[in-house]
Each structure stands twice: as structure tokens, then as C-alpha cells.
Amino acid sequence: MRVLVTGSAGFIGYHLSLRLLAEGHEVIGLDALTPYYDVRLKQQRQAMLEANGRFLGVTGRLEDEAAIDAAFSEAPEVVVHLAAQAGVRYSLEAPFSYTDSNVTGTLAILEAARRTPPKHLLIASSSSVYGMAAGQPSRETDMTDRPVSLYAATKKATEAMSHSYAHLFGVPITCLRFFTVYGPWGRPDMALFRFAEAIAAGKPISIYGEGRMRRDFTYIDDVVAAIDRLIGKAPVQGEPVSAADSLSPVAPWRVVNIAGGRPVELMRFVSAIETAMGREAKKELLPMQPGDVTETAADVSLLRALVGEVPATPIEDGVLAFCDWFRGWRPD
């Protein structure tokens, strides 16, 4: 197939593009290489993708009509829209970057998909849309009307806009609610990267929520395997796969949790990093940050019904793989 991946130089986009290329697909990669974090990391990912003759890179922002037109000019059969402004805490500092990328940029993708309809459009959402949900684990059919960060609000807007386009124009759309994705080539703004850097430098790590938080950590290889399998599972209106399906009654549209369904205590996560790095961390226990939630936990029964399996890499194995990569990685 010919697959368009937006955010192809990003963490998940890079790994997904690698997998698709390895399977023999053609990949069109759209990325703006923005400097939200060290752009050299994105450039290294992009260079490795461009070494494959079946990869076509398009540089540009989602809000750039010419870049979107160029990406869709090859009439991709599948579109995986992963490009976004990420991060809960950064949304307190640069709110307009979130509405520009996550709302306006997603609208541009939806408009392009209306003009050049793919067989399946998959769009990145986030577990953040669940907010401070009282019930755990979170199910795709739970209410998501109370976001506690602007980032979460823009992802909720992404889901709502995509539903309207699925209804109005019949584009099959799956929204992917990712739960704390981690692994090699991960983002430097995420806890695993920051903790590994601090431990390597002998500096203290900041542990928010005083270490009492839990996260449904999901290893990157498991995530891209789930996306890969979901590509062939485009939603069909009126054909739910289970009683727990989030399939819309008025559109070929659903949301799916992408997680292992096994939340891990933050201190166990820190312990795994210490073991993998071979040294104990100096710890600073701090209060919760605005916009953070105490726990994320996914109900993965819908993912299992769709693809037959769910992410399963143990946290210790995934953290070790990241730390092995981290020790060998150097910026250009």
C-alpha cells in the first residue's frame, strides 16, 4: 500500500514508518521538524527513513496548504495522522501552538481526506481525554467531556471534528487513544528520557505527585504493531465488533485505547530505570503538576476484539531497551 504518515520524524511516526517500510509498503512522510525538542533527534530519525527508496519525505507544517497538497498528491490509500503538538505541561506555556497544530492542522488533514478519500484514516488522540475519570480502567465509551489540560481539550476536539467528517463525507476514521508511549528514540521531554539523562549526569530527578502516580506505560514496538493491525480494520457503520465497541451509530468512526491495560506505579518505573542505568537516582518528591492526572489505566477489550492481542512488553524490558539505546545515542 501507499501510506501517508504525518509526524514521520516524530517518535511514534518514525517507528511506524520503519515498520511499514520493512513490510514493503510505500510511505509518504510529512513532518515540519519543529524545534519543540532537540531537532537533531528528528533529523536523525528522518535521515534513517530517507535511506529507504520507498520513503518520500515532505517537509511542512499541517497548517501549510502546499505541504498538505504535496502529501496527498500521491493519493495515499491509508493516512495515519500522528503529527501534533504534544505534552501536557508545555500547553501551559504555549497554548496557541496546540490549537494551531492539533485543531487547525487536523482540520487541514480532514479537508484533504475529504477531497482525496483514503480507505482508512487513523488519527492520534490521547488517554488525556479521560481527564480525572473516577472509573478505572478507562473505556472508550466513557464520558470525555471534562479535560483537565489544554492538550487534552485539543485532542478531544480532534476526535469531535473527525467524527463530523466521518458522518458527513463517509471517510472511515479510527481515533487512537495512546497511553504513555515509551521506548528507544523517544521524546526528550518525557519522563524516561529526562530521568535517564539526570541519572547519567548524577543530578536529581523530579518525581511529581510524590511518587504516588500510576501510568499504563506502553512500549513503542507494541504500539506500532497495534496500529499496523488496525490499518486493515476500518470501521464500518452498523457493524460493531463487540458489545463494548465505540463505533458511532451515525458514522464509520470509532476510538480505540492503545495500551497494555497494566498500570505501573511510578516508583517501580523509576526503579527499572535505576537498574537499567546501573546507579541509584537522587530523588526530589514534588506535588502534582497542573493538568496531570493521578492514574491512567486502559480497558483494552476493544483492541483485543479488533486485532486479537494487546501490548505486552514488561516495563523492565522496555526500560532496559530504552536505556541501552540512550547510552549509545549521541546528538550530531
Side-chain angles (χ1 to χ4, degrees), residues 95-107:
F96 286 99
S97 68
Y98 287 76
T99 54
D100 289 346
S101 180
N102 301 359
V103 179
T104 304
T106 296
L107 180 59

Side-chain angles (χ1 to χ4, degrees), residues 59-300:
T59 302
R61 302 182 69 91
L62 295 172
E63 309 93 290
D64 179 355
E65 185 176 352
I68 295 293
D69 288 345
F72 275 83
S73 65
E74 299 295 324
E77 298 161 83
V78 171
V79 177
V80 186
H81 174 42
L82 302 173
Q85 177 58 62
V88 169
R89 293 168 193 161
Y90 187 62
S91 66
L92 299 172
E93 303 172 29
F96 286 99
S97 68
Y98 287 76
T99 54
D100 289 346
S101 180
N102 301 359
V103 179
T104 304
T106 296
L107 180 59
I109 292 292
L110 292 170
E111 272 292 287
R114 176 179 66 83
R115 295 190 299 268
T116 309
K119 295 178 181 177
H120 193 184
L121 170 57
L122 300 92
I123 299 180
S125 185
S126 167
S127 63
S128 296
V129 300
Y130 290 113
M132 295 288 191
Q136 295 288 353
S138 298
R139 297 173 176 82
E140 291 90 346
T141 52
D142 288 349
M143 185 186 73
T144 55
D145 293 336
R146 296 171 184 165
V148 296
S149 69
L150 178 63
Y151 170 66
T154 61
K155 286 301 186 179
K156 175 66 176 177
T158 290
E159 293 184 0
M161 290 190 303
S162 68
H163 181 271
S164 70
Y165 270 68
H167 169 67
L168 291 169
F169 307 112
V171 179
I173 297 176
T174 298
C175 291
L176 311 168
R177 288 181 179 164
F178 295 122
F179 282 69
T180 316
V181 184
Y182 74 102
W185 293 98
R187 298 197 332 253
D189 62 311
M190 297 193 72
L192 177 52
F193 207 118
R194 291 188 291 107
F195 288 176
E197 276 190 317
I199 292 171
K203 296 179 179 179
I205 63 175
S206 298
I207 301 177
Y208 295 102
E210 298 174 335
R212 292 192 292 269
M213 293 190 292
R214 284 158 47 96
R215 291 287 182 268
D216 205 334
F217 292 101
T218 319
Y219 188 59
I220 184 61
D221 288 359
D222 295 333
V223 169
V224 298
I227 299 172
D228 190 16
R229 295 186 182 103
L230 285 170
I231 282 174
K233 300 290 184 177
V236 178
Q237 187 179 338
E239 297 184 14
V241 298
S242 74
D245 200 343
S246 60
L247 183 68
S248 168
V250 297
W253 180 97
R254 67 162 55 95
V255 294
V256 184
N257 288 337
I258 308 296
R262 293 176 299 276
V264 171
E265 296 79 10
L266 184 55
M267 296 311 295
R268 177 183 165 192
F269 179 60
V270 172
S271 177
I273 302 171
E274 292 174 321
T275 299
M277 294 296 292
R279 60 195 303 182
E280 186 175 352
K282 303 173 184 177
K283 305 174 185 68
E284 292 182 346
L285 300 181
L286 300 172
M288 288 279 290
Q289 289 277 284
D292 267 352
V293 297
T294 55
E295 179 175 0
T296 62
D299 183 308
V300 292

